[in-house]
Amino acid sequence: MHHYRLNIAYDGSNYYGFQQQKDKPTIQGELEKVFKTILKDYKFDYSGRTDSGVHAKEQVLSLSTPYSLDLKTIRSMNKLLGESISINKFVKTSLKFHARYDATKRTYKYFISNSTQLQPYLRNHCYIYPDQLSIKKLNNVAQLFVGEHNFTAFSKFTKEKNPLRTIYKSSWSNKRDYFEYTIIGNSFLRNMVRNIVGVQIAFMEEKISIEEIELNLRKPKNRLNYIAPPNGLILWKVKY
C-alpha cells in the first residue's frame, strides 16, 4: 500500500461544500469519481470541510492506495477534474500521516470589497459590501478572538464537539482593491470563520457591541447569528 499527501485547490462557487452529498455536486464527490476511475482501490481523508460556495487555495488529503502515483497519473486526474479543482502537489508519506488529525494550524482568509473600491470582477471570490469599512475598527474587534475561547456563540455548534478553539492570529489588512482578513487557529467549528467575520461586520454596523462579543466569548448563550457570505472565504493553508 502506498500513502500520499495531496494538496488540492478549488473554486467552490458551483459546489455544495466539500463533503459528499446525495444528488448534489461537491468537491469530495468529484474527487471520488476520479479516484474510482483511475485508482479503483483507495481510501482518503481530508484536513477539514468547507461550506457550500467556499474556496480553497490549499486543502490537504491523505490518500492510501495500492497503486503508485506519478506526475502522469496526477495530470490524468486533473484533466478529469476539470477547471474548478486541481491537485497541485503530491508527496509520499508514512502510514501514520492523517490529513485531519495531524494538522496543527489552519489558515483562512476572507476578502471584502467595500463601497469605496467596488470591483465586480471579484464578485465570485469576494464579499461586495455596500458600505464603507474602517480598517482601524475592524482590527480593534478582530483582536478579541485571539487566544483560547469557547466559540459556541460563533458557530453552528453541535453538542458532541468541544467548543474550545485556540486562535493564533486574527487581523485585517487593506489591499488596493479589497480588505483581507487572516485568521489562524488550531481548528475551526462549522461556520465559525464566516460567523466571526459576520460579527465583525455587525459591529461596524453598530448592531452589536464590543462588550457583547467579549461576553459571548466568556459565557456563550445563544448563537450570534451574523454570517458572512461564503464566496469571500478561502481555506488558505494547513500546517503540519
Side-chain angles (χ1 to χ4, degrees):
M1 190 70 74
H2 301 278
H3 309 283
Y4 297 93
R5 166 179 165 172
L6 274 59
N7 289 16
I8 69 167
Y10 50 84
D11 181 333
S13 301
N14 298 319
Y15 296 95
Y16 288 82
F18 184 89
Q19 191 176 35
Q20 192 160 16
Q21 298 184 46
K22 188 177 181 180
D23 300 325
K24 290 183 178 180
T26 66
I27 303 299
Q28 183 181 4
E30 296 304 305
L31 289 167
E32 295 271 12
K33 289 177 189 176
V34 171
F35 291 162
K36 286 176 182 176
T37 299
I38 293 181
L39 299 177
K40 306 291 192 299
D41 186 7
Y42 67 91
K43 179 183 177 182
F44 82 90
D45 290 289
Y46 45 90
S47 60
R49 305 171 186 173
T50 51
D51 296 334
S52 179
V54 174
H55 318 292
K57 180 175 179 285
E58 184 186 280
Q59 166 77 277
V60 178
L61 311 181
S62 45
L63 174 71
S64 298
T65 176
Y67 301 98
S68 179
L69 298 186
D70 55 23
L71 189 56
K72 183 178 179 181
T73 306
I74 296 299
R75 285 174 176 165
S76 296
M77 288 180 178
N78 280 334
K79 188 174 181 179
L80 291 173
L81 285 167
E83 296 180 349
S84 297
I85 307 171
S86 178
I87 302 170
N88 290 335
K89 184 179 179 181
F90 71 103
V91 293
K92 270 206 152 187
T93 63
S94 70
L95 169 63
K96 294 180 180 180
F97 175 72
H98 194 286
R100 182 179 303 176
Y101 301 135
D102 290 347
T104 56
K105 291 182 180 179
R106 295 166 173 85
T107 300
Y108 280 88
K109 287 183 182 285
Y110 196 93
F111 297 89
I112 300 179
S113 175
N114 78 345
S115 63
T116 62
Q117 48 190 17
L118 288 176
Q119 301 294 345
Y121 73 90
L122 295 172
R123 185 169 297 277
N124 287 336
H125 304 93
C126 194
Y127 174 25
I128 307 297
Y129 184 68
D131 207 342
Q132 294 188 30
L133 295 170
S134 163
I135 192 71
K136 183 177 180 180
K137 288 182 178 179
L138 284 171
N139 272 317
N140 284 343
V141 69
Q143 289 307 303
L144 299 178
F145 299 99
V146 175
E148 185 181 72
H149 302 288
N150 183 327
F151 284 96
T152 301
F154 300 85
S155 64
K156 193 171 184 178
F157 180 68
T158 53
K159 290 184 178 180
E160 64 270 16
K161 290 273 189 178
N162 180 353
L164 296 179
R165 293 294 186 272
T166 301
I167 301 301
Y168 305 106
K169 180 178 181 178
S170 172
S171 67
W172 291 86
S173 58
N174 193 352
K175 307 294 185 179
R176 186 181 64 181
D177 294 334
Y178 51 83
F179 287 79
E180 177 182 308
Y181 177 60
T182 302
I183 185 167
I184 303 174
N186 59 345
S187 63
F188 294 89
L189 299 167
R190 188 175 180 186
N191 288 164
M192 181 173 152
V193 179
R194 289 171 57 204
N195 209 153
I196 288 173
V197 173
V199 165
Q200 293 178 79
I201 298 301
F203 167 74
M204 291 293 302
E205 296 172 345
E206 299 183 349
K207 294 177 179 177
I208 191 169
S209 67
I210 289 284
E211 291 72 25
E212 288 176 275
I213 296 171
E214 289 177 323
L215 177 62
N216 277 280
L217 286 168
R218 292 196 307 269
K219 295 180 179 180
K221 294 182 180 179
N222 298 320
R223 184 180 186 185
L224 298 177
N225 203 25
Y226 303 104
I227 317 297
N231 53 297
L233 183 59
I234 300 178
L235 173 56
W236 201 257
K237 187 176 180 60
V238 184
K239 186 175 181 179
Y240 294 89

